[in-house]
Amino acid sequence: GNREAFFPRKGTQEVRQLVNAINTLLSEFNNVENWRKQLMQDLTHELRTPLTSVLTRLEAIIDGVYPKTEENLNSIYSDIERLARLVNNVQQLSDAEGARFKLDFKDVNVANLVKSVHESFLFVAKEKNISLEFVHPNRPCRAQIDHDRIIQVVTNIVSNALKYTPPGGKVIVGVNISGNEVIIYCKDNGIGIAKEELTLVFNRFYRTDKSRSRESGGTGVGLSVSRALVEAHGGTIGVESVEGNGSTFWVRLPISHTII
Ligand code: ADP
């Protein structure tokens, strides 16, 4: 039961191989254990505030000290809705973090994939009076990826761009090939992200001060799910942004998948 112990690499070649395998297993156990502890801490922290707020307000309604108006009930309802969303998102996060073991790699036309996400958001964009453009690549962009997981990533990034861009704004999505990578990008001219928050937005439950104050209803899980999925593909995800001017999110994925 002592997972802290590591075996010294000694003995015959077979024994050394066995020791290596066990040591790798032990360090994997430790990683999972640390991840679980950190997740529990973050999750408890995230759940505590809205739960306390809902409980106190309901209690006050029962005691007759908080008026049972439609507005107050709606506000409690939307807090509970957000909690339910958070729980669903945590499930997604846990699936995404375990994804590297079960991705379904296939040869995919990435331009078509991004175009299909673009099409699925045209209605939402129109409703919000945002122009949503798709830039056709000038050459075929194919890669070995898990189609559904990358749809999930692009959906998240485009949905964020629409969420954090005010009406009248513009969002552009596109695909490119550079060397042995395919690059998916999404550029908006929305509220942008402050320099010191650029790396933090990929952390789970992180929401920038600006988006918190806008009460977008986000849970801060989407980008951490996206990062886990992209990294499971051996790719990278990042953002460039100027606060107040807009952001460009990009995803780089290896064209061919090599088994790690
Ligand atoms: P959320 O559900 O809160 O949108 P995400 O993990 O998808 O969670 O995003 C984390 C945070 O990053 C958001 O709360 C927001 O503050 C910031 N963010 C993400 N995309 C954008 C964007 N396109 N423009 C400005 N801020 C963004």
Side-chain angles (χ1 to χ4, degrees), residues 74-109:
N74 271 334
S75 140
I76 295 177
Y77 181 82
S78 79
D79 268 1
I80 296 181
E81 243 190 341
R82 195 173 160 269
L83 279 169
R85 219 167 28 237
L86 190 65
V87 172
N88 280 336
N89 289 352
V90 169
Q91 178 68 49
Q92 275 184 28
L93 183 63
S94 145
D95 288 351
E97 306 238 352
R100 81 188 153 105
F101 304 110
K102 41 182 191 252
L103 288 182
D104 183 15
F105 285 97
K106 295 229 168 78
D107 180 50
V108 172
N109 181 330

Side-chain angles (χ1 to χ4, degrees), residues 153-180:
V153 171
V154 183
T155 301
N156 177 240
I157 291 175
V158 177
S159 141
N160 275 349
L162 293 172
K163 197 155 66 175
Y164 300 111
T165 299
K170 186 170 181 168
V171 174
I172 302 172
V173 273
V175 191
N176 256 324
I177 287 228
S178 162
N180 51 7

